[in-house]
């Protein structure tokens, strides 16, 4: 995606102050579903069987990704978080999956072009095993390898090496901020230029991850629910929520690209488990350009927000 094309998207967004809501990976019904394969099953296959299995699986998942974009377009959803398991085992040592993706580069490029045409922003949230702050050098090395594989997939999709097509992770091991900054500073551009960090409710609160992002010169993704859980707050409208949102915005070179997360507690306001729908939103989030909706009912939760919360902003 060229700078001119991104500027056009920014110009379109500035015509409206309504935040864009994002779908996370799948739909609550069966319309958007991806297939996978376990490492254990994969290793039992012959080399030819591995190749045949992954090629068929990747083609299936690529078609599903195309379907996900069509679904988002129909539902007026402008942000889509791809599953981190889109192309499972593509980082295996045998490089069979990686080679297949290279062979499929033209097909992946077409999907990226479709997203661009539809004006749908595509982002990624690598799994919990990516821990750049780990005390284990092996874990850090594996984490970088996983990020590199994801970054290559984004390249094949034709997505820019910028936070527009971000890869968002958590801080990981607590009390390791200095190590985290060092590792990030040494990442290759294809990874670092897309990397964002998110506050969590265990190890790195909003202020902690903000400091890391400022030192590492990467954007911060603010999560209001993680924040209220960590700080044990009883409302999303606590002054610290808006303060953290605005502080996070300062880490984005392009503030119009700022992305935040929202979820609600399942059994109570401070419950860490996600609820089915979003029934409480921070007032400050009317200022957020892009919001990923992390709720069990997926597109139903987005529709619910479109029907009550966004209407209040019009």
């Amino acid at each position: 995606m060229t700078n001119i094309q991104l500027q056009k998207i920014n110009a379109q967004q500035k015509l409206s102050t309504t935040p864009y809501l994002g779908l996370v990976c799948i739909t609550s019904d069966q319309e958007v579903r991806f297939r996978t394969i376990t490492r254990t099953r994969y290793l039992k296959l012959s080399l030819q069987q591995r190749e045949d299995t992954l090629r068929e699986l990747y083609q299936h998942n690529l078609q599903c990704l195309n379907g996900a974009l069509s679904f988002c377009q129909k539902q007026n959803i402008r942000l889509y978080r791809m599953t981190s398991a889109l192309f499972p085992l593509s980082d295996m040592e045998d490089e069979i999956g990686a080679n297949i993706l290279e062979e499929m580069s033209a097909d992946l490029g077409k999907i990226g072009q479709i997203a661009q045409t539809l004006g749908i922003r595509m982002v990624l949230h690598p799994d919990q095993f990516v821990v750049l702050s780990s005390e284990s050098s092996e874990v850090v090395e594996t984490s970088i390898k996983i990020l590199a594989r994801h970054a290559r997939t984004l390249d094949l999709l034709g997505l820019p090496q910028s936070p527009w097509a971000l890869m968002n992770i958590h801080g990981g091991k607590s009390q390791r901020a200095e190590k985290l900054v060092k590792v990030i500073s040494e990442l290759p551009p294809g990874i670092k230029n897309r990397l964002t960090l998110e506050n969590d409710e265990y190890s790195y609160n909003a202020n902690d991850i903000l400091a890391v992002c400022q030192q590492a010169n990467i954007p911060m993704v603010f999560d209001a629910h993680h924040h209220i859980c960590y700080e044990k707050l009883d409302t999303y409208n606590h002054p610290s929520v808006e303060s953290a949102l605005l502080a996070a915005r300062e880490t984005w070179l392009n503030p119009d690209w700022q992305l935040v997360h929202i979820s609600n507690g399942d059994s109570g306001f401070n419950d860490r488990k996600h609820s089915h729908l979003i029934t409480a939103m921070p007032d400050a989030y009317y200022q957020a350009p892009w919001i990923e909706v992390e709720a069990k009912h997926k597109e139903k939760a987005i529709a619910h927000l479109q029907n009550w919360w966004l209407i209040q902003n019009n």
Side-chain angles (χ1 to χ4, degrees):
M1 186 180 297
T2 67
N3 289 333
I4 293 177
Q5 290 166 332
L6 289 177
Q7 288 170 7
K8 287 181 179 179
I9 291 175
N10 291 337
Q12 292 172 353
Q13 183 175 340
K14 288 178 180 178
L15 295 176
S16 172
T17 58
T18 303
Y20 293 126
L21 305 180
L23 175 66
V24 175
C25 301
I26 61 175
T27 54
S28 62
D29 59 23
Q30 295 297 312
E31 187 158 353
V32 178
R33 283 292 187 274
F34 298 90
R35 285 167 43 193
T36 190
I37 182 173
T38 66
R39 182 185 180 94
T40 300
R41 179 190 164 201
Y42 178 79
L43 292 176
K44 292 179 180 179
L45 302 176
S46 67
L47 292 179
Q48 186 60 54
Q49 288 174 325
R50 293 179 186 182
E51 182 176 345
D52 294 342
T53 298
L54 288 189
R55 178 172 284 106
E56 193 275 331
L57 192 155
Y58 290 0
Q59 290 173 343
H60 174 273
N61 282 358
L62 194 59
Q63 290 175 355
C64 289
L65 180 59
N66 185 33
L69 293 175
S70 296
F71 178 87
C72 287
Q73 191 270 335
K74 293 175 184 176
Q75 301 295 321
N76 194 29
I77 297 172
R78 289 281 307 281
L79 172 66
Y80 179 65
R81 182 205 288 183
M82 294 176 284
T83 172
S84 61
L86 183 61
F87 300 118
L89 305 181
S90 60
D91 59 348
M92 289 288 289
E93 294 78 5
D94 58 22
E95 298 188 346
I96 291 176
N99 291 334
I100 291 173
L101 287 181
E102 295 297 327
E103 294 172 10
M104 295 172 58
S105 61
D107 293 330
L108 268 73
K110 290 178 182 177
I111 298 297
Q113 183 63 45
I114 289 172
Q116 177 180 305
T117 300
L118 296 177
I120 297 174
R121 182 180 183 184
M122 300 171 72
V123 299
L124 189 65
H125 196 326
D127 62 38
Q128 61 184 346
F129 301 110
V130 174
V131 183
L132 297 181
S133 57
S134 175
E135 296 175 348
S136 167
S137 58
E138 182 178 351
V139 170
V140 173
E141 182 179 343
T142 299
S143 298
I144 295 174
K145 182 180 178 181
I146 293 172
L147 289 175
R149 186 64 254 165
H150 286 315
R152 181 55 186 160
T153 298
L154 296 177
D155 285 341
L156 291 173
L157 286 166
L159 301 180
Q161 293 186 4
S162 75
W164 175 261
L166 63 81
M167 297 190 295
N168 183 59
I169 63 173
H170 291 283
K173 182 72 174 178
S174 62
Q175 306 299 316
R176 300 272 293 174
E178 185 176 345
K179 170 67 173 181
L180 184 55
V181 172
K182 183 177 186 298
V183 171
I184 292 173
S185 68
E186 296 173 351
L187 291 172
I191 299 176
K192 184 181 178 184
N193 291 345
R194 292 182 171 118
L195 197 66
T196 62
L197 290 178
E198 174 187 353
N199 60 297
D200 64 75
E201 66 266 49
Y202 299 108
S203 303
Y204 290 86
N205 64 23
N207 288 331
D208 294 334
I209 213 68
L210 174 66
V212 172
C213 288
Q214 290 171 332
Q215 294 175 53
N217 195 29
I218 63 172
M220 170 184 168
V221 170
F222 175 62
D223 188 305
H225 193 68
H226 288 331
H227 178 69
I228 63 97
C229 287
Y230 187 100
E231 303 295 342
K232 297 179 174 60
L233 304 178
D234 59 4
T235 175
Y236 284 124
N237 290 329
H238 188 276
S240 63
V241 173
E242 181 174 23
S243 177
L245 172 75
L246 297 178
R249 178 170 298 167
E250 293 299 316
T251 65
W252 291 79
L253 185 61
N254 187 338
D256 294 329
W257 292 359
Q258 182 186 19
L259 185 145
V260 301
H261 290 178
I262 189 61
S263 56
N264 285 172
D266 189 14
S267 62
F269 186 71
N270 294 102
D271 186 2
R272 292 178 172 87
K273 295 181 181 179
H274 292 176
S275 60
H276 290 84
L277 299 176
I278 303 298
T279 57
M281 286 287 283
D283 288 345
Y285 268 26
Y286 284 124
Q287 306 175 57
W290 303 85
I291 305 173
E292 279 189 27
V293 179
E294 299 182 318
K296 293 179 182 178
H297 276 177
K298 305 291 183 175
E299 76 281 4
K300 295 179 182 178
I302 292 176
H304 182 67
L305 283 172
Q306 290 171 333
N307 289 334
W308 74 270
W309 185 70
L310 289 184
I311 289 175
Q312 297 178 18
N313 193 39
N314 293 332

